[in-house]
Amino acid sequence: TFDLSRMDMDELPLAIIEMFPNINRLLIDRNPITATPFEFHVMSSLEELRFDKAGMKSPSMEIWELGLQKAFEFMRRFVNFRKDPRVDFAGWGLSEIPAETFEKSLVGRITKLNFEDNRVSVLPVEI
């Protein structure tokens, strides 16, 4: 367990991945962190990541509610999209297209956008 609760951190340091690659619990609650770096998807031993749900914006809470492993899969896909911009989240049960789809490094480069078999009812203004 690595407890960084109440440290007044506004971002999660990437050094944690390198320094503590095998931790099973990471506690970052009671910090004003709004995003988890997508590079954290490599922490395969992590079983619990505790954070304040109200402030988390990326990935969105809809992604986190699918579970830690699914959230890491989401992160892994977006890290890969930077190299191969095919966005495919078919069958994830999402109610909205994730905001990360429209990050500057992907806009204009997306070659496939597949949200088939989801609950998306409104397209974002970016589309």
Side-chain angles (χ1 to χ4, degrees):
T1 300
F2 190 29
D3 191 348
L4 295 172
S5 302
R6 300 183 189 119
M7 300 283 293
D8 200 33
M9 299 183 311
D10 57 359
E11 62 183 41
L12 199 49
L14 287 175
I16 292 172
I17 298 169
E18 195 173 302
M19 295 171 64
F20 306 100
N22 297 315
I23 59 171
N24 61 358
R25 293 178 72 217
L26 178 58
L27 312 178
I28 57 170
D29 50 320
R30 300 189 183 170
N31 285 296
I33 296 171
T34 60
T36 301
F38 284 11
E39 291 79 5
F40 270 72
H41 76 276
V42 301
M43 297 189 72
S44 58
S45 297
L46 199 60
E47 297 172 5
E48 179 184 358
L49 176 60
R50 193 169 68 198
F51 57 86
D52 295 329
K53 293 175 175 68
M56 190 59 69
K57 304 226 182 317
S58 181
S60 70
M61 282 312 302
E62 182 175 29
I63 299 298
W64 286 111
E65 288 168 359
L66 297 172
L68 182 62
Q69 294 311 311
K70 199 72 165 178
F72 279 0
E73 173 66 15
F74 177 85
M75 293 178 196
R76 184 187 63 74
R77 287 184 182 204
F78 269 96
V79 167
N80 290 340
F81 291 154
R82 293 176 183 139
K83 298 174 192 161
D84 180 15
R86 290 179 284 179
V87 179
D88 190 347
F89 286 103
W92 277 51
L94 300 174
S95 63
E96 59 185 39
I97 295 176
E100 292 85 357
T101 306
F102 307 104
E103 72 176 37
K104 290 180 183 180
S105 66
L106 287 178
V107 171
R109 295 184 50 234
I110 295 174
T111 59
K112 177 182 180 180
L113 185 61
N114 185 2
F115 283 91
E116 179 181 21
D117 294 327
N118 281 285
R119 298 175 289 127
V120 176
S121 59
V122 177
L123 291 176
V125 296
E126 294 88 350
I127 297 180

